[in-house]
Amino acid sequence: MIESLALIWSLPHKHVAEILQRLLGSNGTLTARIAKGTFWVSLAQAGNQASAFVRIAILAHLLGPADFGIFGVALLVINTLSALTEPGLQTALIQRQGNINQFLSVAFTFQIIRSVVLAATVLACAPLVGRLFDTPNAVPVIQVLSMVLLIQGLVSSKTVFLHRDLNFRRFFLWNFGEAVAGLASAVLFAVLFGDIRALVGSLLCATTVRVIGSYIVAPWRPRLGWNHKQLIELGRFGRWVNATNIVVFASMQADNAFVGKVLGPAALGIYQVVFGISQLAAEQISHVVSTVAFPSLSTMANDIGRLRATYLRLFATLVVFNAFVTVVLFSAAEPLIRYGLGAQWIGAVSVLRILVFAGFLRSLAAVGGYVFYAVGTPHLNFRMNLWRIGAFAVVVYPCSQIWGVSGVAVAVSISLAIAFLVYLAGIDRVLGLSPRDHLRFLVHSSLQIITQTLRAKGRSC
């Protein structure tokens, strides 16, 4: 079991790039850049996820579920307001062809204005949230975390070029610095305070290092400027990104809000910690491929045949890798909880196993969502996630009444399954690929992917 878990962590950053390049079936410049980018993004994601797990494991032994629940309520407020007001300007800049330097100042200015307004709103709403969730202890935590929004607004706008130019080596360095800062500060504050301040301090430190790092990996002298026409031009694409972000966030956070309100802070703490663990491995691979895929797929928007072939290979890669990860993590759920978090968390094993399956379902649509963006049909991504949150809203209450916290995880899985069906219909519309085409190519590619994986692993032994 330990060897299988080690394989999950070691495979992506050591071999995914090589396997992906072979699967793309070309030795062209773009393919080489995609493969190279995949290596660096996978390395960054592996570091982030590993540090996140270590941080959770350390703090779970020192803090109780109620502490994580209070912190979860505070994060819910911060993340909700961020998602509701995210304009999608960065996505619009990545998708946009040609020179985008003229748009950087207006994007940076809007970003700062938004962060100031959000921070002020969080400060004002903190007491109301404390009463809503019946958690008065969350009020000062929410108020302190409003600083996170202010700090985030200072990130360099030029980091968008890391994605456009597939310069993911710098992307790795940027994320690595943030991950190290978050882990180191969490351990330091846990030793000093041994309470919720470890969670709060870790997030503030990591965010600050992220801002500083953005100017190191993407040097740029910030300039304030306002151009209404440029903002509207970016907003035409960004409005659908914003709408999608809202429904994605709602679908991702509706379960947290429901658990916190209906089942209480302690249940929310358990659910959030287990949810984070359930997404670590499968999301690692999906995030890697999706991050590299979007700017790459955008260059193929006018060549549907090439886009279709690339998409199928990426989809098959994700399915096979994530299926393997899901099976291993499902099997290792009990020892992972017992030895990773401690015996007091053992009741969360069933929740973890259900959420691992949910994570697999979510990973299947990772590339397709960016296909919708790449071909200029972001409304299809919005529609897919709207179905997802609608399905969750219908089934979550009866499921929670039958199975408690596990029932919320079941509701998440049901909603993701329905969203995947809608996703397949969208892919059929833009690429002309039916569910049967997906299945046929998946069966054909599975053996090839497994063979390449075994060969790559054999060469490293």
Side-chain angles (χ1 to χ4, degrees):
M1 184 62 65
I2 294 176
E3 291 179 355
S4 297
L5 288 172
L7 178 58
I8 293 176
W9 290 116
S10 65
L11 179 60
H13 68 270
K14 291 179 66 177
H15 303 303
V16 168
E18 178 183 352
I19 296 168
L20 181 59
Q21 184 166 5
R22 289 175 178 271
L23 289 172
L24 289 175
S26 171
N27 293 319
T29 302
L30 179 60
T31 299
R33 291 174 66 198
I34 292 175
K36 185 178 179 180
T38 300
F39 170 79
W40 285 110
V41 176
S42 61
L43 195 60
Q45 188 69 358
N48 286 343
Q49 302 291 34
S51 67
F53 179 77
V54 173
R55 184 169 65 250
I56 290 173
I58 292 174
L59 296 180
H61 283 83
L62 298 174
L63 308 178
D67 290 320
F68 280 93
I70 291 172
F71 185 71
V73 169
L75 277 186
L76 184 61
V77 176
I78 301 294
N79 293 335
T80 296
L81 289 177
S82 295
L84 292 176
T85 60
E86 171 57 53
L89 297 184
Q90 185 177 51
T91 305
L93 288 172
I94 295 174
Q95 192 270 345
R96 189 179 184 83
Q97 303 299 312
N99 188 359
I100 62 170
N101 285 303
Q102 59 181 319
F103 295 96
L104 297 182
S105 294
V106 67
F108 183 73
T109 303
F110 184 88
Q111 181 177 285
I112 289 179
I113 294 173
R114 170 176 170 265
S115 67
V116 172
V117 172
L118 287 181
T121 304
V122 168
L123 283 172
C125 292
L128 177 62
V129 174
R131 289 194 296 271
L132 178 64
F133 285 91
D134 194 24
T135 54
N137 292 338
V139 175
V141 177
I142 296 171
Q143 292 171 335
V144 173
L145 287 185
S146 66
M147 290 296 298
V148 170
L149 295 169
L150 281 177
I151 298 170
Q152 286 176 340
L154 299 174
V155 170
S156 170
S157 293
K158 202 164 185 180
T159 55
V160 69
F161 283 97
L162 301 182
H163 295 270
R164 279 175 57 96
D165 300 337
L166 301 181
N167 189 351
F168 292 112
R169 179 176 177 273
R170 288 179 176 267
F171 180 88
F172 160 73
L173 296 174
W174 186 26
N175 282 269
F176 181 74
E178 179 186 8
V180 170
L183 177 58
S185 58
V187 174
L188 175 62
F189 292 132
V191 172
L192 291 177
F193 304 118
D195 57 26
I196 197 171
R197 284 176 288 183
L199 292 167
V200 175
S202 173
L203 181 58
L204 285 171
C205 289
T207 305
T208 301
V209 170
R210 180 172 182 79
V211 171
I212 296 172
S214 71
Y215 291 94
I216 296 175
V217 299
W220 182 62
R221 179 178 295 178
R223 298 182 182 87
L224 297 179
W226 191 260
N227 188 312
H228 191 61
K229 289 184 178 180
Q230 288 182 346
L231 197 60
I232 291 177
E233 191 173 345
L234 293 176
R236 291 193 184 100
F237 183 91
R239 69 179 185 271
W240 281 111
V241 177
N242 175 246
T244 301
N245 287 339
I246 290 174
V247 295
V248 167
F249 175 81
S251 60
M252 290 290 293
Q253 297 296 327
D255 50 350
N256 291 322
F258 182 89
V259 173
K261 178 62 178 175
V262 177
L263 303 178
L268 177 60
I270 293 173
Y271 183 82
Q272 285 194 324
V273 169
V274 173
F275 184 89
I277 295 174
S278 72
Q279 306 301 300
L280 287 180
E283 195 172 84
Q284 176 182 351
I285 302 170
S286 298
H287 174 81
V288 167
V289 177
S290 299
T291 300
V292 179
F294 177 41
S296 306
L297 294 174
S298 295
T299 65
M300 308 176 192
N302 296 323
D303 188 347
I304 296 299
R306 186 182 177 202
L307 180 60
R308 184 187 295 118
T310 302
Y311 159 76
L312 280 174
R313 293 186 177 100
L314 290 171
F315 176 81
T317 302
L318 284 177
V319 171
V320 173
F321 281 160
N322 286 334
F324 171 75
V325 167
T326 299
V327 170
V328 174
L329 198 54
F330 182 93
S331 303
E334 195 274 337
L336 194 60
I337 293 292
R338 180 181 299 277
Y339 301 112
L341 302 183
Q344 70 270 28
W345 296 81
I346 199 65
V349 171
S350 61
V351 182
L352 175 58
R353 284 176 171 157
I354 298 170
L355 288 176
V356 165
F357 174 71
F360 173 69
L361 289 174
R362 186 158 68 93
S363 71
L364 297 182
V367 175
Y370 287 99
V371 169
F372 297 147
Y373 284 156
V375 300
T377 56
H379 62 282
L380 295 178
N381 210 4
F382 169 78
R383 182 181 302 170
M384 173 180 67
N385 286 284
L386 190 62
W387 272 92
R388 175 181 168 184
I389 190 172
F392 177 81
V394 170
V395 301
V396 63
Y397 185 77
C399 287
S400 67
Q401 292 302 298
I402 298 173
W403 299 296
V405 178
S406 295
V408 178
V410 171
V412 170
S413 299
I414 293 173
S415 65
L416 286 167
I418 292 175
F420 181 63
L421 296 177
V422 179
Y423 155 80
L424 289 176
I427 290 295
D428 193 12
R429 175 177 173 180
V430 299
L431 296 182
L433 293 171
S434 67
R436 181 178 296 180
D437 294 326
H438 283 78
L439 182 59
R440 185 185 302 116
F441 188 85
L442 179 60
V443 171
H444 172 75
S445 300
S446 294
L447 292 176
Q448 180 185 5
I449 295 173
I450 294 172
T451 300
Q452 296 294 345
T453 303
L454 294 176
R455 287 179 179 175
K457 197 63 184 176
R459 285 193 297 272
S460 67
C461 295

